[in-house]
Amino acid sequence: MSTPTSFSRHKKWVTQALTNHQSFKAYIEPLVQMVKPSWQASDCNAEVMDLRNESEQVYSLVLKPSKKWMRHTAGQYVHIQVTIEGVRYNRTFSVSSSPKHHEVSGLIELTIRKQEHGKVTQWMAQGLKVGDHISLTQAQGEFTLPNHQEPLLLIAGGSGITPFRSFLQQLAASHSTSDVHLIYYNQSIAPLFAIEWQQLSQAHPNFKISLIDTQISGLISAQQLHKTCPDFDQRKAYLCGPHGLITTCRDLLIEHGVAKTDIYHELFGPKPVSKPPSITNQNQASTVTFAQSNRLVNAQSQQSLLELAEAAELNPPSGCRMGICHQCKCSKKQGVVYNTLTNTYSDTGTEDIQLCVSIAVGDVTLDF
Amino acid sequence: MKHKESIDFTALADEFDQINASVKSQLGSQDADYIRRIIKIHRLAEISGRIILMLCFFSLWFLLPGMLLLALAKILDNMEIGHNVMHGQYDWMNDPNINSRNFEWDIASDSGSWKRVHNHEHHTYTNIIGKDRDYGYGLLRMSNDLPWRKKNRWQFFTYLNLSLLFEWGIAYHELAAERVFVGKKKKDRTSSLSDSELKRMFFSKAGKQLFKDYVFFPLLAGPMFLYVLAANVGANLIRNLWTSTIIFCGHFTENVQTFTEAECKGESKGEWYYRQMLGSSNLTGPKWFHIMTGHLSCQIEHHLFPDIPAFRYYELAPKVEAIAAKYGIPYNSGSFFKQYGTVLQRIWTYSWPDKAAHKINEDHQQTEN
């Protein structure tokens, strides 16, 4: 009778009965916030210690997470939440500092590019002050520094460098002798952390760091790879950056005999949504039904269901808009959707989908 | 009052659309801070109420303030927080706890069924006889649109019972809308939920509410079980009476009008606004009164703009009244006692066949002339 699952189910029932909330913490959150304004039931809290400019467009946010925040593994990311004009926004950033650094100083760094039309990244650069508090989740992500000693090839593009800064700082701090080659691509802008790379490669002969300006040396190619890192096919490869770089690079490595299982990647920035190949006739207009709101909306082929719901002024909860935070999760009752993140088609039946990365393929009914 | 034909509905719709857009563009910290402050007061009232009730072990006098605080908490939760949050007034905040998708309230009916019946049927088909089931709740004859029946003779007592048991009346009413328990299914049924799902949700929510107020907290009081039980019943009755009274004042006062399905067929946005104004009535009073009614005291503004944060209705009211005057549309507003008096009168009048109903109709025409 009292198995753990039935116990937790009963506990949940009682919590809901007594508080009408999913957790007791969520119920008392408004009261705790009277004493500690930045406290949140679900997330941790972090104090802004510094906001350091790395370049004109990029800054690092130095945070001191509360004790509730456990620790991260080099390469992981966190979701942070800021409130702008009463609206909560969630965004995802890799931790660009090492776990060792956190151990010693209690601090972590997030390195953030101001997006051209980005509301949040622009606001944070102006609106956050030292001493402010923001909310952040525990670190997540599988794209992490491996434990083994095998040689590594790290390929980064633009602000995709952030997890690798964490990798290298961690290796340096733990006096690792691993053979690591970092190739860092930028297009006609100065690489981030240029001085740090110089210092790191001087202090650690086992680190090789190549900075490539694609404006001068061209985009990644087999020839270029051979020249920069002759033994690239002997290494475990980690790729992080924009979609184009990752796919080109991945194809290249596979072509040269690197096993798929030796290639790890993390996508930075949303993947361009392209018209999905279709199961049925592509030209057929699809209708999306929002069942709870009792609305029918004609879907355009490139529009995510989230954009569609927003255009219909249904105010769905949303977060990262790139398929990471699961805030916009919604139950699909019927129909097929195409997931632009995983490039897969859904089943036809009931399942939870993320609105921000789903496109309707044919008619779809959502429980919203 | 002008005749309907002489009103420029396009211009009317433009004026209201403009108000709507201008308020929506101003939404921000002020609204977020307001609703969070009300939620804080709710928590303080609920928790302190429950604790004070437990103190009845020392003196039975503690029962009274405890019960009143609990009633206050329930009223705030239902009126200013729950009803408004579930209308999506605060969805833009992107706070999962203050979101129409997730919010659950301290009342018998579950939030999902409320949103389906109230937000959709009542707000879309306001006061259309046969479509707005909230008009008389299928129990009361509130106008001579419905033929008189014998049961209407004692509808004043039906009304008093409905008021006291309002939360259960509402919860049942929402299921009855789908003919879940008895009767024929509607042909144009919109809900995609099966009867068994609806029933499950009804009993699940009702069970939780009964457990909380009539089992858990009374048991917690140990030997004082019956006293805390009685106080909890009292708090729920006070809430029921208050919410029912306020809601009746919103749609059943003397001059509120009804509509037929035929006259509303293919109506424009302007005509919809017009119907919302004729079908609702406001209450005047001090600020605390507006908050306790969840700003349903500004029922007209609520029906025009159901998803604007309710505490803004008060500042919108003069603008809406000015527009009403400009277009020659009645703006039905009055003090609580005046308005409630006419509600009781209406319930009484329509308890009886023809003669009395004729009389009120004549009165109507006289005031119009």
Side-chain angles (χ1 to χ4, degrees), chain A residues 52-131:
Chain A
R52 190 179 64 229
N53 283 324
E54 305 292 355
S55 77
E56 213 161 276
Q57 288 306 313
V58 179
Y59 57 93
S60 288
L61 199 57
V62 182
L63 297 174
K64 185 175 188 176
S66 67
K67 287 198 187 95
K68 200 168 135 193
W69 198 78
M70 292 187 285
R71 61 188 300 280
H72 69 292
T73 307
Q76 283 188 312
Y77 54 80
V78 291
H79 305 302
I80 69 168
Q81 185 183 79
V82 292
T83 304
I84 308 174
E85 285 296 310
V87 183
R88 288 188 179 178
Y89 293 92
N90 299 292
R91 290 292 183 272
T92 306
F93 301 105
S94 289
V95 180
S96 61
S97 59
S98 66
K100 267 271 189 303
H101 180 66
H102 175 244
E103 239 167 72
V104 175
S105 65
L107 303 177
I108 60 167
E109 298 185 7
L110 308 178
T111 301
I112 298 163
R113 176 179 296 279
K114 290 182 218 167
Q115 300 296 323
E116 211 172 315
H117 300 291
K119 181 158 194 164
V120 178
T121 51
Q122 299 267 11
W123 180 87
M124 287 200 302
Q126 305 296 324
L128 281 182
K129 301 275 172 279
V130 172

Coordinates of all heavy atoms in Angstrom, one line a residue, chain A residues 52-131:
Chain A
R52 N 30.7 42.4 -16.4 CA 32.0 42.7 -17.1 C 31.9 42.7 -18.6 O 31.4 41.7 -19.1 CB 33.1 41.7 -16.6 CG 34.5 42.0 -17.0 CD 35.4 40.9 -16.4 NE 35.1 39.6 -17.1 CZ 35.0 38.5 -16.4 NH1 35.0 38.5 -15.1 NH2 34.7 37.4 -17.1
N53 N 32.3 43.8 -19.2 CA 32.2 43.8 -20.7 C 33.4 43.0 -21.3 O 34.5 43.2 -20.9 CB 32.3 45.2 -21.2 CG 30.9 45.9 -21.0 OD1 29.9 45.2 -21.2 ND2 30.9 47.1 -20.7
E54 N 33.1 42.0 -22.2 CA 34.1 41.3 -22.9 C 34.4 41.9 -24.2 O 35.5 41.8 -24.7 CB 33.6 39.8 -23.0 CG 33.2 39.1 -21.8 CD 34.4 38.8 -20.8 OE1 35.5 39.2 -21.1 OE2 34.1 38.4 -19.7
S55 N 33.4 42.5 -24.8 CA 33.6 43.2 -26.1 C 32.4 44.2 -26.2 O 31.6 44.3 -25.2 CB 33.6 42.3 -27.3 OG 32.3 41.8 -27.6
E56 N 32.2 44.8 -27.3 CA 31.1 45.8 -27.4 C 29.8 45.1 -27.3 O 28.8 45.6 -26.7 CB 31.2 46.5 -28.7 CG 30.8 47.9 -28.7 CD 31.3 48.7 -29.9 OE1 32.4 49.2 -29.8 OE2 30.5 48.8 -30.8
Q57 N 29.7 43.8 -27.8 CA 28.5 43.1 -27.9 C 28.3 42.1 -26.8 O 27.2 41.5 -26.7 CB 28.3 42.5 -29.3 CG 28.1 43.5 -30.4 CD 26.9 44.4 -30.1 OE1 25.8 43.9 -29.7 NE2 27.0 45.7 -30.3
V58 N 29.4 41.8 -26.1 CA 29.3 40.6 -25.2 C 29.7 41.0 -23.8 O 30.7 41.8 -23.6 CB 30.3 39.5 -25.7 CG1 30.3 38.3 -24.8 CG2 29.9 39.0 -27.1
Y59 N 29.0 40.5 -22.8 CA 29.4 40.8 -21.4 C 29.3 39.5 -20.6 O 28.6 38.6 -21.0 CB 28.5 41.9 -20.8 CG 27.0 41.6 -20.9 CD1 26.4 41.0 -19.8 CD2 26.2 41.9 -22.0 CE1 25.0 40.7 -19.8 CE2 24.9 41.6 -22.0 CZ 24.3 41.0 -21.0 OH 22.9 40.7 -21.0
S60 N 30.0 39.5 -19.5 CA 29.9 38.4 -18.6 C 29.2 38.8 -17.3 O 29.5 39.9 -16.8 CB 31.3 37.8 -18.2 OG 31.8 37.2 -19.4
L61 N 28.3 38.0 -16.9 CA 27.5 38.3 -15.7 C 28.2 37.4 -14.6 O 28.2 36.2 -14.8 CB 26.1 37.8 -15.9 CG 25.0 38.3 -15.1 CD1 24.9 39.9 -15.1 CD2 23.7 37.8 -15.6
V62 N 28.7 38.0 -13.6 CA 29.3 37.3 -12.5 C 28.2 37.1 -11.4 O 27.7 38.1 -10.9 CB 30.6 38.0 -11.9 CG1 31.2 37.1 -10.8 CG2 31.5 38.2 -13.1
L63 N 27.9 35.9 -11.1 CA 26.8 35.6 -10.1 C 27.3 34.8 -8.9 O 28.2 34.0 -9.0 CB 25.7 34.8 -10.8 CG 25.0 35.4 -12.0 CD1 24.1 34.3 -12.6 CD2 24.2 36.6 -11.6
K64 N 26.7 35.1 -7.8 CA 26.9 34.3 -6.6 C 25.6 33.5 -6.3 O 24.7 34.1 -5.7 CB 27.3 35.2 -5.4 CG 27.7 34.4 -4.2 CD 28.2 35.3 -3.1 CE 28.8 34.4 -2.0 NZ 29.4 35.3 -1.0
P65 N 25.5 32.3 -6.7 CA 24.3 31.5 -6.4 C 24.2 31.2 -4.9 O 25.2 31.1 -4.2 CB 24.5 30.2 -7.2 CG 25.7 30.4 -8.1 CD 26.5 31.5 -7.4
S66 N 22.9 31.1 -4.5 CA 22.7 30.7 -3.1 C 23.1 29.3 -2.8 O 23.5 28.6 -3.7 CB 21.2 30.8 -2.8 OG 20.5 29.8 -3.5
K67 N 23.1 28.9 -1.5 CA 23.6 27.6 -1.2 C 22.8 26.5 -1.8 O 23.3 25.4 -2.0 CB 23.6 27.5 0.4 CG 24.7 28.3 1.0 CD 24.9 27.8 2.5 CE 25.8 28.8 3.2 NZ 25.1 29.8 4.0
K68 N 21.5 26.8 -2.1 CA 20.7 25.8 -2.7 C 21.2 25.3 -4.0 O 20.9 24.2 -4.5 CB 19.3 26.4 -2.8 CG 18.1 25.5 -3.0 CD 16.9 26.3 -2.9 CE 15.8 25.9 -3.9 NZ 14.7 26.8 -4.0
W69 N 22.0 26.2 -4.7 CA 22.5 25.8 -6.0 C 23.7 24.8 -5.8 O 24.6 25.1 -5.1 CB 23.0 27.1 -6.7 CG 23.2 26.9 -8.2 CD1 22.2 26.9 -9.1 CD2 24.4 26.7 -8.9 NE1 22.7 26.7 -10.4 CE2 24.1 26.6 -10.3 CE3 25.8 26.6 -8.5 CZ2 25.1 26.4 -11.3 CZ3 26.7 26.4 -9.5 CH2 26.4 26.3 -10.9
M70 N 23.6 23.7 -6.4 CA 24.6 22.7 -6.0 C 25.9 22.9 -6.7 O 26.8 23.5 -6.1 CB 24.0 21.3 -6.4 CG 22.9 21.0 -5.4 SD 22.1 19.4 -5.5 CE 21.2 19.4 -6.9
R71 N 26.1 22.5 -7.9 CA 27.3 22.8 -8.6 C 27.1 22.4 -10.1 O 26.0 21.8 -10.4 CB 28.5 22.0 -8.0 CG 28.4 20.5 -8.1 CD 29.5 19.8 -7.4 NE 30.8 20.1 -7.9 CZ 31.3 19.5 -9.0 NH1 30.6 18.7 -9.7 NH2 32.5 19.8 -9.4
H72 N 28.0 22.8 -10.9 CA 27.8 22.4 -12.3 C 29.0 21.6 -12.7 O 30.0 21.5 -12.1 CB 27.6 23.6 -13.2 CG 28.9 24.4 -13.4 ND1 29.4 25.2 -12.4 CD2 29.7 24.7 -14.5 CE1 30.5 25.8 -12.8 NE2 30.7 25.5 -14.1
T73 N 28.8 20.9 -13.9 CA 29.9 20.2 -14.5 C 30.3 21.1 -15.7 O 29.4 21.7 -16.3 CB 29.5 18.8 -15.0 OG1 28.9 18.2 -13.9 CG2 30.6 18.0 -15.6
A74 N 31.6 21.2 -15.9 CA 32.1 22.0 -17.0 C 31.3 21.7 -18.3 O 31.2 20.6 -18.7 CB 33.6 21.9 -17.2
G75 N 30.7 22.8 -18.9 CA 30.0 22.6 -20.2 C 28.5 22.7 -20.0 O 27.8 22.9 -20.9
Q76 N 28.0 22.7 -18.7 CA 26.5 22.7 -18.5 C 26.0 24.1 -18.6 O 26.7 25.1 -18.5 CB 26.2 22.1 -17.2 CG 26.3 20.6 -17.2 CD 25.7 20.0 -15.9 OE1 26.1 20.4 -14.8 NE2 24.9 19.0 -16.0
Y77 N 24.7 24.2 -18.7 CA 24.0 25.5 -18.8 C 23.0 25.7 -17.7 O 22.7 24.7 -17.0 CB 23.3 25.7 -20.2 CG 22.3 24.6 -20.5 CD1 21.1 24.6 -20.0 CD2 22.7 23.6 -21.4 CE1 20.2 23.6 -20.3 CE2 21.8 22.5 -21.7 CZ 20.5 22.5 -21.1 OH 19.6 21.5 -21.4
V78 N 22.5 26.9 -17.5 CA 21.5 27.2 -16.5 C 20.4 28.0 -17.2 O 20.7 28.7 -18.2 CB 22.0 28.0 -15.3 CG1 22.9 27.1 -14.4 CG2 22.7 29.3 -15.7
H79 N 19.2 27.9 -16.7 CA 18.1 28.8 -17.2 C 18.1 29.9 -16.1 O 18.1 29.7 -14.9 CB 16.8 28.2 -17.2 CG 16.7 26.9 -18.0 ND1 17.0 26.9 -19.3 CD2 16.4 25.6 -17.6 CE1 16.8 25.6 -19.8 NE2 16.5 24.9 -18.8
I80 N 18.1 31.2 -16.6 CA 17.9 32.2 -15.6 C 16.6 33.0 -15.9 O 16.0 32.9 -17.0 CB 19.1 33.3 -15.6 CG1 19.1 34.1 -16.9 CG2 20.4 32.5 -15.4 CD1 20.0 35.2 -16.8
Q81 N 16.1 33.6 -14.9 CA 14.8 34.3 -15.1 C 14.9 35.7 -14.6 O 15.5 35.9 -13.5 CB 13.7 33.6 -14.2 CG 12.4 34.1 -14.4 CD 11.4 33.4 -13.5 OE1 11.3 33.7 -12.3 NE2 10.6 32.5 -14.1
V82 N 14.5 36.6 -15.4 CA 14.5 38.0 -15.0 C 13.1 38.6 -15.2 O 12.4 38.1 -16.0 CB 15.5 38.9 -15.8 CG1 17.0 38.5 -15.4 CG2 15.3 38.8 -17.3
T83 N 12.8 39.6 -14.4 CA 11.5 40.2 -14.5 C 11.6 41.6 -15.1 O 12.3 42.4 -14.5 CB 10.8 40.2 -13.1 OG1 10.7 38.9 -12.6 CG2 9.4 40.8 -13.3
I84 N 11.1 41.8 -16.2 CA 11.1 43.1 -16.8 C 9.7 43.7 -16.9 O 8.9 43.1 -17.6 CB 11.8 43.0 -18.3 CG1 13.1 42.3 -18.2 CG2 12.0 44.4 -18.9 CD1 13.7 42.0 -19.5
E85 N 9.5 44.8 -16.3 CA 8.2 45.4 -16.4 C 7.1 44.4 -16.0 O 6.0 44.4 -16.7 CB 7.9 46.0 -17.8 CG 8.7 47.3 -18.0 CD 8.2 48.4 -17.1 OE1 7.0 48.7 -17.0 OE2 9.1 49.1 -16.5
G86 N 7.3 43.7 -14.9 CA 6.3 42.8 -14.5 C 6.2 41.5 -15.2 O 5.4 40.6 -14.9
V87 N 6.9 41.3 -16.3 CA 6.9 40.1 -17.1 C 8.1 39.2 -16.8 O 9.2 39.8 -16.8 CB 6.8 40.4 -18.6 CG1 6.7 39.1 -19.4 CG2 5.7 41.4 -18.9
R88 N 7.9 38.0 -16.6 CA 9.0 37.1 -16.4 C 9.5 36.5 -17.7 O 8.8 36.0 -18.5 CB 8.6 35.9 -15.5 CG 8.3 36.3 -14.1 CD 8.1 35.1 -13.2 NE 7.9 35.4 -11.8 CZ 7.6 34.6 -10.9 NH1 7.6 33.3 -11.2 NH2 7.5 34.9 -9.7
Y89 N 10.8 36.6 -17.8 CA 11.5 36.0 -19.0 C 12.5 34.9 -18.6 O 13.2 35.1 -17.7 CB 12.2 37.1 -19.8 CG 11.3 38.1 -20.4 CD1 11.0 39.3 -19.7 CD2 10.7 37.9 -21.7 CE1 10.1 40.2 -20.3 CE2 9.9 38.9 -22.3 CZ 9.6 40.0 -21.6 OH 8.8 41.0 -22.1
N90 N 12.5 33.8 -19.3 CA 13.5 32.8 -19.1 C 14.4 32.7 -20.2 O 14.0 32.7 -21.4 CB 12.8 31.4 -18.9 CG 11.8 31.4 -17.8 OD1 12.2 31.5 -16.6 ND2 10.5 31.4 -18.1
R91 N 15.7 32.6 -19.9 CA 16.7 32.5 -20.9 C 17.8 31.5 -20.5 O 17.9 31.2 -19.3 CB 17.4 33.8 -21.2 CG 16.5 34.8 -21.9 CD 16.2 34.4 -23.4 NE 15.4 35.4 -24.1 CZ 14.1 35.5 -24.0 NH1 13.4 34.6 -23.3 NH2 13.4 36.4 -24.7
T92 N 18.4 30.9 -21.5 CA 19.4 29.8 -21.2 C 20.8 30.2 -21.5 O 21.0 30.7 -22.7 CB 19.0 28.6 -22.0 OG1 17.6 28.3 -21.7 CG2 19.9 27.4 -21.6
F93 N 21.7 30.0 -20.6 CA 23.1 30.4 -20.9 C 24.1 29.3 -20.4 O 23.8 28.8 -19.3 CB 23.5 31.7 -20.3 CG 22.7 32.9 -20.8 CD1 21.7 33.4 -20.0 CD2 22.8 33.4 -22.1 CE1 20.9 34.5 -20.5 CE2 22.0 34.4 -22.6 CZ 21.0 34.9 -21.8
S94 N 25.1 29.0 -21.1 CA 26.2 28.1 -20.6 C 26.9 28.8 -19.5 O 27.1 30.1 -19.5 CB 27.2 27.8 -21.7 OG 26.6 26.9 -22.6
V95 N 27.4 28.1 -18.5 CA 28.2 28.6 -17.5 C 29.6 28.7 -18.1 O 30.2 27.7 -18.6 CB 28.3 27.7 -16.2 CG1 29.2 28.3 -15.2 CG2 26.9 27.6 -15.7
S96 N 30.2 29.9 -18.2 CA 31.5 30.0 -18.9 C 32.7 29.9 -17.9 O 33.8 30.1 -18.3 CB 31.5 31.3 -19.7 OG 31.4 32.4 -18.8
S97 N 32.4 29.7 -16.7 CA 33.5 29.5 -15.7 C 33.5 28.1 -15.2 O 32.6 27.3 -15.5 CB 33.4 30.5 -14.5 OG 32.1 30.2 -13.9
S98 N 34.6 27.7 -14.6 CA 34.8 26.3 -14.2 C 34.2 26.0 -12.9 O 34.0 26.8 -12.0 CB 36.3 26.0 -14.2 OG 36.9 26.7 -13.1
P99 N 33.8 24.7 -12.7 CA 33.4 24.2 -11.4 C 34.4 24.5 -10.3 O 34.0 24.9 -9.1 CB 33.2 22.7 -11.5 CG 33.0 22.5 -13.0 CD 33.8 23.6 -13.7
K100 N 35.7 24.4 -10.6 CA 36.8 24.7 -9.6 C 36.6 26.1 -9.1 O 36.8 26.4 -7.9 CB 38.1 24.5 -10.3 CG 38.7 23.1 -10.0 CD 39.5 23.0 -8.8 CE 40.3 21.8 -8.5 NZ 39.7 20.5 -8.5
H101 N 36.4 27.0 -10.1 CA 36.3 28.4 -9.8 C 35.1 28.7 -8.8 O 35.2 29.4 -7.8 CB 36.0 29.2 -11.1 CG 35.9 30.7 -10.9 ND1 36.9 31.5 -10.4 CD2 34.8 31.5 -11.0 CE1 36.5 32.8 -10.3 NE2 35.2 32.8 -10.7
H102 N 34.0 27.9 -9.0 CA 32.9 28.0 -8.1 C 33.2 27.5 -6.7 O 32.8 28.1 -5.7 CB 31.7 27.3 -8.7 CG 30.5 27.3 -7.8 ND1 30.0 26.1 -7.3 CD2 29.7 28.3 -7.3 CE1 28.9 26.4 -6.5 NE2 28.7 27.7 -6.5
E103 N 33.9 26.4 -6.7 CA 34.3 25.8 -5.4 C 35.1 26.8 -4.6 O 34.9 26.9 -3.4 CB 35.3 24.6 -5.7 CG 34.8 23.3 -5.2 CD 35.6 22.1 -5.9 OE1 36.8 22.0 -5.5 OE2 35.1 21.4 -6.8
V104 N 36.1 27.5 -5.3 CA 37.0 28.3 -4.6 C 36.3 29.7 -4.2 O 36.4 30.1 -3.1 CB 38.3 28.6 -5.4 CG1 39.2 29.6 -4.8 CG2 39.0 27.3 -5.7
S105 N 35.6 30.3 -5.1 CA 35.1 31.6 -4.9 C 33.6 31.7 -4.7 O 33.1 32.7 -4.2 CB 35.4 32.5 -6.2 OG 34.7 31.9 -7.3
G106 N 32.9 30.6 -5.0 CA 31.4 30.7 -4.8 C 30.8 31.4 -6.0 O 29.6 31.7 -5.9
L107 N 31.5 31.7 -7.0 CA 31.0 32.5 -8.1 C 30.9 31.6 -9.4 O 31.7 30.7 -9.6 CB 31.9 33.7 -8.4 CG 32.1 34.6 -7.2 CD1 33.1 35.7 -7.6 CD2 30.8 35.2 -6.7
I108 N 29.9 32.0 -10.2 CA 29.9 31.5 -11.6 C 29.8 32.7 -12.6 O 29.4 33.8 -12.2 CB 28.7 30.5 -11.8 CG1 27.4 31.2 -11.6 CG2 28.9 29.3 -11.0 CD1 26.2 30.4 -12.1
E109 N 30.1 32.4 -13.8 CA 30.0 33.5 -14.8 C 29.2 33.0 -16.0 O 29.3 31.8 -16.4 CB 31.4 33.9 -15.3 CG 32.3 34.4 -14.2 CD 33.6 34.9 -14.7 OE1 33.9 35.0 -16.0 OE2 34.5 35.3 -13.9
L110 N 28.3 33.9 -16.5 CA 27.6 33.6 -17.7 C 28.0 34.6 -18.7 O 28.0 35.8 -18.4 CB 26.1 33.7 -17.5 CG 25.5 33.0 -16.3 CD1 24.0 33.3 -16.2 CD2 25.7 31.5 -16.5
T111 N 28.4 34.2 -19.9 CA 28.9 35.1 -20.9 C 27.8 35.2 -22.0 O 27.4 34.3 -22.5 CB 30.2 34.6 -21.5 OG1 31.2 34.5 -20.4 CG2 30.8 35.6 -22.5
I112 N 27.4 36.5 -22.2 CA 26.1 36.7 -22.9 C 26.3 37.7 -24.0 O 26.9 38.8 -23.8 CB 25.1 37.3 -21.9 CG1 24.8 36.2 -20.8 CG2 23.8 37.6 -22.7 CD1 24.1 36.8 -19.6
R113 N 25.8 37.3 -25.2 CA 25.9 38.3 -26.3 C 24.6 39.0 -26.4 O 23.5 38.5 -26.3 CB 26.1 37.5 -27.7 CG 26.1 38.4 -28.9 CD 26.3 37.6 -30.2 NE 27.6 37.0 -30.2 CZ 28.7 37.7 -30.5 NH1 28.7 38.9 -30.9 NH2 29.9 37.1 -30.5
K114 N 24.7 40.4 -26.6 CA 23.5 41.2 -26.7 C 22.9 40.8 -28.1 O 23.5 41.2 -29.1 CB 23.8 42.7 -26.7 CG 24.2 43.2 -25.3 CD 24.5 44.6 -25.4 CE 25.6 45.0 -24.5 NZ 26.1 46.4 -24.7
Q115 N 21.7 40.2 -28.1 CA 21.1 39.9 -29.4 C 20.5 41.1 -30.0 O 20.1 42.0 -29.3 CB 19.9 38.9 -29.1 CG 20.3 37.6 -28.5 CD 21.3 36.8 -29.4 OE1 21.1 36.8 -30.6 NE2 22.2 36.1 -28.8
E116 N 20.6 41.2 -31.3 CA 20.3 42.4 -32.0 C 18.9 43.0 -31.6 O 18.7 44.1 -31.3 CB 20.4 42.2 -33.5 CG 20.8 43.4 -34.3 CD 21.1 43.1 -35.7 OE1 21.7 42.1 -36.0 OE2 20.6 43.9 -36.6
H117 N 17.9 42.1 -31.7 CA 16.6 42.6 -31.3 C 16.1 41.9 -30.0 O 14.9 41.9 -29.7 CB 15.6 42.2 -32.4 CG 15.9 42.8 -33.7 ND1 15.9 44.2 -33.9 CD2 16.4 42.3 -34.9 CE1 16.3 44.5 -35.2 NE2 16.6 43.3 -35.8
G118 N 17.1 41.4 -29.3 CA 16.8 40.7 -28.0 C 16.4 41.6 -26.9 O 17.1 42.6 -26.6
K119 N 15.2 41.3 -26.4 CA 14.7 42.2 -25.3 C 15.5 41.9 -24.0 O 16.0 42.8 -23.3 CB 13.2 41.8 -25.0 CG 12.6 42.6 -23.9 CD 11.1 42.7 -24.1 CE 10.6 43.8 -23.2 NZ 9.3 44.2 -23.4
V120 N 15.7 40.6 -23.7 CA 16.3 40.3 -22.4 C 17.8 40.5 -22.3 O 18.3 41.1 -21.4 CB 16.0 38.8 -22.1 CG1 16.6 38.4 -20.8 CG2 14.5 38.6 -22.1
T121 N 18.5 40.1 -23.4 CA 20.0 40.3 -23.3 C 20.4 41.7 -23.3 O 21.3 42.1 -22.6 CB 20.7 39.5 -24.5 OG1 20.1 39.9 -25.7 CG2 20.6 38.0 -24.3
Q122 N 19.6 42.5 -24.0 CA 19.9 44.0 -24.0 C 19.5 44.6 -22.7 O 20.3 45.4 -22.1 CB 19.0 44.7 -25.1 CG 19.2 44.2 -26.5 CD 20.3 45.1 -27.2 OE1 20.9 45.9 -26.6 NE2 20.4 44.8 -28.5
W123 N 18.4 44.2 -22.2 CA 17.9 44.7 -20.9 C 18.9 44.4 -19.7 O 19.2 45.3 -18.9 CB 16.5 44.2 -20.5 CG 16.0 44.7 -19.2 CD1 15.3 45.9 -19.0 CD2 16.2 44.1 -17.9 NE1 15.0 46.1 -17.7 CE2 15.6 45.0 -17.0 CE3 16.8 43.0 -17.5 CZ2 15.5 44.7 -15.6 CZ3 16.7 42.7 -16.1 CH2 16.1 43.6 -15.2
M124 N 19.4 43.1 -19.7 CA 20.2 42.7 -18.6 C 21.5 43.6 -18.6 O 22.0 43.9 -17.5 CB 20.6 41.3 -18.7 CG 19.4 40.4 -18.4 SD 19.9 38.7 -18.0 CE 20.8 38.2 -19.4
A125 N 22.0 43.9 -19.8 CA 23.3 44.7 -19.8 C 23.0 46.1 -19.2 O 23.9 46.6 -18.6 CB 23.7 44.8 -21.3
Q126 N 21.8 46.6 -19.3 CA 21.5 47.9 -18.8 C 20.9 47.9 -17.4 O 21.2 48.6 -16.5 CB 20.6 48.7 -19.7 CG 21.0 48.8 -21.2 CD 22.2 49.6 -21.3 OE1 22.4 50.6 -20.6 NE2 23.1 49.2 -22.2
G127 N 19.9 46.9 -17.3 CA 19.0 47.0 -16.1 C 19.6 46.3 -14.9 O 19.1 46.6 -13.8
L128 N 20.5 45.3 -15.1 CA 21.0 44.6 -13.9 C 22.1 45.4 -13.2 O 23.0 45.9 -13.9 CB 21.5 43.2 -14.3 CG 20.5 42.1 -14.5 CD1 21.1 40.8 -14.8 CD2 19.6 42.0 -13.3
K129 N 22.0 45.5 -11.9 CA 23.1 46.2 -11.2 C 23.7 45.3 -10.2 O 23.0 44.3 -9.7 CB 22.4 47.4 -10.4 CG 21.7 48.4 -11.3 CD 22.7 49.5 -11.9 CE 22.0 50.3 -13.0 NZ 21.9 49.7 -14.3
V130 N 24.9 45.6 -9.8 CA 25.6 44.8 -8.8 C 24.7 44.8 -7.5 O 24.2 45.9 -7.1 CB 27.0 45.4 -8.5 CG1 27.6 44.7 -7.3 CG2 27.8 45.2 -9.7
G131 N 24.5 43.6 -6.9 CA 23.6 43.6 -5.7 C 22.2 43.1 -6.1 O 21.5 42.7 -5.2

